[in-house]
Amino acid sequence: MSAKSVSIKSASAKFTSAKSVSDTSKSVISKSAISRSDFATSTSIRPDSAKIVSVVRCQDYDPAKVDPALRRAVGLLGKMGDLVRPGSRVLIKPNLLQPAPPERHITTHPQVVLSVAALLKEQGCRVVIAESPGMPPYSQASLRRLYRSTGLEEGAREMGVDLNLDTGCTTVPAPNSRLIKRFSVIDPALEADCIVVVSKAKTHALTGMTGAAKNLFGLVPGLEKSAFHARLPHIDDFSHMILDLNLLLKPRLQIMDAVMALEGPGPSTGSPRKIGALLASRDCSAMDVVVSRLMSFDPREVSTIRAAVERGLLRKDFSDVQAVGDSLEDLVVPDFRKPPAGEGRLRGGLRAAFNPLLRSYSLRPQVAEDRCTGCGICSQVCPARAAEVAGGKARVDYSRCIRCYCCQEMCPARAIDLRRCLWGRMVARVSRER
Ligand code: SF4
Ligand code: SF4
């Protein structure tokens, strides 16, 4: 990987004008449950508002259904030419977590990505699709394998859309960030005039849900993502870092593939579950609020949404989020399986009371030896050097483990389960009963 560092002074002004965020905002999220109508739903549009989220029914990945649904979702926000400047260089950032086939639904479906690319090409845009998955190595060979496995290679070639193979990255200043003042970002993201994020609706063991905001983390190169877990082991800090990155790179448009979502222990070992919708928005946090609703979350269970509320990017009652298009009520999956609750989802009062014991409460990565192939990827991605392979099987040193779950996320054999010790199970039960 050819990393090059750019001094804060010399870096492009494009990255010194990130939206200022109040560090002093101390909004406290209400403990009372909220109803599905807590954010506005309407068929009318306020074109000046970035917090509109369009929701359009789409039953499957037949191009004859995806294309019109996507056009309608984007059209509900405004003209494509007003959202993305015609003729500009656009980077599409899908969620390509691992080299996995589309039918596992742990990656954005290629049809959605390619339909977005087609819309952009109609505007005369030069389009490149780029991702830096957490699974090492971040190399041209592994990127080729990623595009092939996730079903993008052939379609992109036929459409004349570039698949990024440049593994260079650049350090850019983020002076207005709350936590992280410099980010290393893959070069194609910095070279593009704008970024269009095409996410996948999935559960996530650490943050609750991986939707729009967290998807942008894939523009941080390779294993540098794992390093953030070591620097920011607390889920709230990690979530603010995700928002810092979004405020720095300012994606122009968000698209969400919620035709098939992933439920249960996501983001890689859960089960596919149909929602049947495509969504579009200009705002990652507003998008995540609406997607979390479709997945039957209380939005405040999602750590990146809590962080957005805390720093004033969302109202605490979500009344600034406006859903337009098809009926949310008809699309919500009431029995959507959430991930096992990690530290981030332990409720407020109990969280404070048990803070010193959170480590033992937290879900622990547990290796299923019968499934472990000894590939060593967990050891490579572990930022705490807690996972290692010995005798052909992975082992975890819990005294070092910071519960970031990178190993579970990246294990290609789905051989890592997240479980609590007996004490943790007791605390979890008490927490749920409150
Ligand atoms: S636990 Fe998974 S990632 Fe780790 S060595 Fe075993 S198969 Fe590989
Ligand atoms: S063992 Fe897994 S959960 Fe623990 S620190 Fe390493 S990668 Fe994170």
Side-chain angles (χ1 to χ4, degrees):
M1 184 188 308
S2 64
K4 51 182 182 280
S5 182
V6 173
S7 76
I8 292 178
K9 280 184 183 167
S10 65
S12 161
K14 179 176 161 190
F15 296 103
T16 58
S17 58
K19 181 179 174 182
S20 175
V21 176
S22 168
D23 284 359
T24 57
S25 173
K26 299 289 181 198
S27 300
V28 177
I29 299 169
S30 162
K31 286 181 183 171
S32 61
I34 62 171
S35 72
R36 287 188 185 128
S37 57
D38 278 344
F39 48 86
T41 59
S42 171
T43 51
S44 65
I45 299 174
R46 295 192 310 264
D48 57 326
S49 170
K51 298 233 171 14
I52 294 170
V53 182
S54 59
V55 183
V56 172
R57 216 174 247 288
C58 183
Q59 290 300 311
D60 57 50
Y61 292 108
D62 180 342
K65 293 178 185 159
V66 172
D67 277 339
L70 180 70
R71 282 168 198 277
R72 186 170 160 234
V74 172
L76 284 164
L77 302 180
K79 288 183 188 161
M80 188 62 167
D82 294 337
L83 296 165
V84 174
R85 186 164 51 82
S88 55
R89 287 175 301 175
V90 182
L91 178 133
I92 292 180
K93 166 62 178 80
N95 184 330
L96 303 181
L97 176 74
Q98 285 180 14
E103 52 273 20
R104 271 187 65 194
H105 297 293
I106 66 172
T107 53
T108 311
H109 196 280
Q111 186 54 55
V112 179
V113 181
L114 294 173
S115 292
V116 173
L119 261 184
L120 291 165
K121 282 182 75 78
E122 282 175 17
Q123 299 295 318
C125 296
R126 287 160 289 160
V127 179
V128 60
I129 298 169
E131 169 69 294
S132 168
M135 184 180 285
Y138 181 46
S139 65
Q140 288 196 358
S142 64
L143 284 176
R144 282 199 180 90
R145 182 170 160 245
L146 181 74
Y147 299 135
R148 195 177 317 122
S149 307
T150 53
L152 277 170
E153 188 179 60
E154 196 180 322
R157 193 188 317 116
E158 284 170 7
M159 285 180 63
V161 170
D162 289 336
L163 295 170
N164 174 60
L165 294 174
D166 175 0
T167 56
C169 58
T170 299
T171 301
V172 292
N176 295 318
S177 282
R178 177 163 179 160
L179 281 176
I180 301 298
K181 301 298 183 185
R182 294 163 72 88
F183 277 98
S184 182
V185 177
I186 63 172
D187 282 342
L190 302 178
E191 289 157 5
D193 296 317
C194 74
I195 296 169
V196 173
V197 178
V198 189
S199 306
K200 184 76 173 176
K202 298 192 293 180
T203 52
H204 195 283
L206 187 65
T207 55
M209 185 189 86
T210 182
K214 189 168 179 305
N215 188 15
L216 208 69
F217 196 37
L219 295 182
V220 171
L223 286 175
E224 293 192 35
K225 284 187 281 297
S226 297
F228 273 107
H229 288 283
R231 286 173 72 185
L232 306 169
H234 195 289
I235 183 60
D236 293 344
D237 292 338
F238 183 81
S239 299
H240 280 292
M241 177 275 295
I242 294 289
L243 295 180
D244 284 344
L245 183 64
N246 275 272
L247 292 172
L248 173 70
L249 296 179
K250 299 186 189 70
R252 195 71 55 84
L253 178 63
Q254 303 279 344
I255 304 292
M256 179 68 64
D257 169 10
V259 178
M260 291 296 295
L262 197 80
E263 66 175 3
S268 60
T269 57
S271 313
R273 184 74 191 267
K274 183 174 179 179
I275 293 179
L278 288 176
L279 296 86
S281 182
R282 292 166 58 202
D283 185 282
C284 63
S285 296
M287 171 72 92
D288 283 344
V289 168
V290 175
V291 175
S292 72
R293 262 298 169 226
L294 293 176
M295 295 161 80
S296 278
F297 278 93
D298 175 334
R300 289 163 295 198
E301 290 179 280
V302 180
S303 64
T304 47
I305 294 177
R306 283 200 308 275
V309 170
E310 190 196 332
R311 57 205 284 180
L313 299 172
L314 287 172
R315 286 190 200 145
K316 63 183 179 183
D317 62 358
F318 307 115
S319 58
D320 49 344
V321 177
Q322 186 184 17
V324 299
D326 291 335
S327 162
L328 285 184
E329 297 294 326
D330 294 344
L331 287 163
V332 168
V333 180
D335 58 346
F336 199 92
R337 275 196 307 130
K338 296 174 186 172
E343 175 196 334
R345 291 174 58 206
L346 184 61
R347 292 184 188 171
L350 272 180
R351 183 186 178 110
F354 287 100
N355 206 35
L357 301 173
L358 273 177
R359 176 172 288 221
S360 56
Y361 161 80
S362 299
L363 293 161
R364 306 193 302 184
Q366 207 168 75
V367 179
E369 291 202 350
D370 55 330
R371 284 178 264 147
C372 175
T373 61
C375 70
I377 285 174
C378 54
S379 167
Q380 292 173 55
V381 301
C382 177
R385 301 187 180 190
E388 62 174 17
V389 175
K393 300 291 175 188
R395 302 258 182 284
V396 176
D397 178 349
Y398 293 122
S399 67
R400 300 179 72 110
C401 173
I402 59 172
R403 274 61 164 175
C404 67
Y405 312 132
C406 291
C407 52
Q408 181 249 4
E409 188 170 333
M410 288 300 148
C411 173
R414 292 185 259 184
I416 296 182
D417 300 318
L418 299 181
R419 298 191 199 286
R420 288 195 175 85
C421 63
L422 179 62
W423 157 247
R425 289 199 294 275
M426 287 166 58
V427 175
R429 178 173 298 177
V430 172
S431 172
R432 277 196 296 271
E433 285 170 359
R434 277 168 65 89

